[in-house]
Amino acid sequence: MIDLFENENTGGREILGPEAFILKRFALPVANVLLAKIALIQTLSPFRHMMTPGGFTMSVGLTNCGQLGWTSDRRGYKYSPIDPVTGNPWPAMPNEFLELAKSAASEAGFVNFVPDACLINRYIPGTKLSLHQDKDEQDLSAPIVSVSLGIPAVFQFGGFERDAPKIKVPLFHGDVVVWGGADRLRFHGVLPLKPNSHWLLGEQRINLTFRKSSPLNSDFLIKGLG
Ligand code: MD3
Ligand code: FE
């Protein structure tokens, strides 16, 4: 489907909770540079399908950039400085990623957000992300910033228990969502993507999720004291 409304709502926001906001189309001006950097990152650390501790292969393709990357295998979930597929450190977080995450966070009222991890999720039609909480980060006081690119997805936003009522929210190319504080531990997920095509990305959705995983500042990690 051609998205005739891609440039609508630029600058607007939707309120999901006391400390959860969608910044509509906030990332549109930098979408092309983000995609160019993702193309580079995936040559160094390719998208892969990880195994959950429960023994299921995730339908979403994952890679990371930044000092730490989120991984899953039969032993559990963790943040690691090394890509287990390549044995190398994850690709560096591009400056454009960092600046976008910082400016989105401050736009939503979270000052001094410095992410140390960027999870990159790739969806194709049919891909889903089951309901879960993000609680593998050591610093739960920091918000999470998520950037949607490509075909739309329906995001599920729930409560603090798995079976609490959920709302469904569509996310479009360029939308940025910021969650923190009181809303940080809400259950959330992504419904199976409908068949669709985006003019720039084709039959694909890419989501960037910026987190602050380690409570240590980046100097400690760079100097190897972390
Ligand atoms: C709601 N990814 O990778 S981040 C994930 O579209 C993940 O790929 C989603 O959930 C995706 O873990 C988008 C959405 C998100 C992140 C943190 C949250 C939603 C949240 C924290 C609290 C509530
Ligand atoms: Fe999540």
Side-chain angles (χ1 to χ4, degrees):
M1 196 181 72
I2 301 171
D3 183 3
L4 294 171
F5 306 108
E6 186 156 277
N7 293 307
E8 276 208 345
N9 284 324
T10 307
R13 66 170 68 185
E14 266 173 45
I15 298 177
L16 293 178
E19 296 187 80
F21 308 93
I22 307 183
L23 307 177
K24 302 292 288 179
R25 307 300 194 266
F26 189 83
L28 259 195
V30 292
N32 280 304
V33 61
L34 300 181
L35 291 169
K37 299 293 180 179
I38 293 164
L40 197 60
I41 289 166
Q42 68 172 295
T43 66
L44 300 170
S45 278
F47 286 103
R48 77 292 306 266
H49 294 274
M50 292 181 186
M51 184 87 93
T52 66
F56 297 98
T57 299
M58 297 178 73
S59 67
V60 62
L62 304 181
T63 187
N64 290 276
C65 66
Q67 286 151 354
L68 294 165
W70 184 89
T71 62
S72 178
D73 62 23
R74 289 306 304 247
R75 294 165 298 181
Y77 309 129
K78 65 173 183 180
Y79 281 93
S80 161
I82 300 295
D83 176 348
V85 166
T86 65
N88 297 322
W90 298 103
M93 193 184 300
N95 250 316
E96 294 86 348
F97 283 32
L98 190 60
E99 289 308 317
L100 173 64
K102 286 184 188 175
S103 69
S106 74
E107 186 77 14
F110 298 97
V111 292
N112 301 327
F113 176 54
V114 183
D116 57 20
C118 175
L119 172 62
I120 308 175
N121 290 334
R122 183 169 67 184
Y123 298 74
I124 58 173
T127 302
K128 66 174 169 57
L129 191 62
S130 304
L131 205 67
H132 67 278
Q133 291 173 295
D134 289 17
K135 55 177 185 188
D136 304 319
E137 300 71 30
Q138 292 180 55
D139 184 354
L140 292 174
S141 69
I144 290 184
V145 172
S146 132
V147 180
S148 292
L149 298 169
I151 63 178
V154 178
F155 185 72
Q156 280 189 301
F157 189 61
F160 301 102
E161 294 188 74
R162 184 170 286 281
D163 53 8
K166 292 173 267 299
I167 60 166
K168 290 185 172 65
V169 196
L171 293 179
F172 299 97
H173 181 68
D175 286 351
V176 177
V177 197
V178 183
W179 287 270
D183 294 312
R184 178 68 177 71
L185 287 175
R186 284 186 188 271
F187 275 90
H188 59 277
V190 179
L191 295 181
L193 258 69
K194 296 210 174 94
N196 207 334
S197 184
H198 184 267
W199 64 278
L200 200 52
L201 283 98
E203 299 183 0
Q204 186 179 211
R205 170 178 189 258
I206 292 183
N207 182 268
L208 306 176
T209 309
F210 294 93
R211 291 94 182 270
K212 184 166 187 292
S213 164
S214 168
L216 300 177
N217 72 37
S218 43
D219 289 351
F220 277 107
L221 289 168
I222 289 167
K223 291 176 183 146
L225 303 174

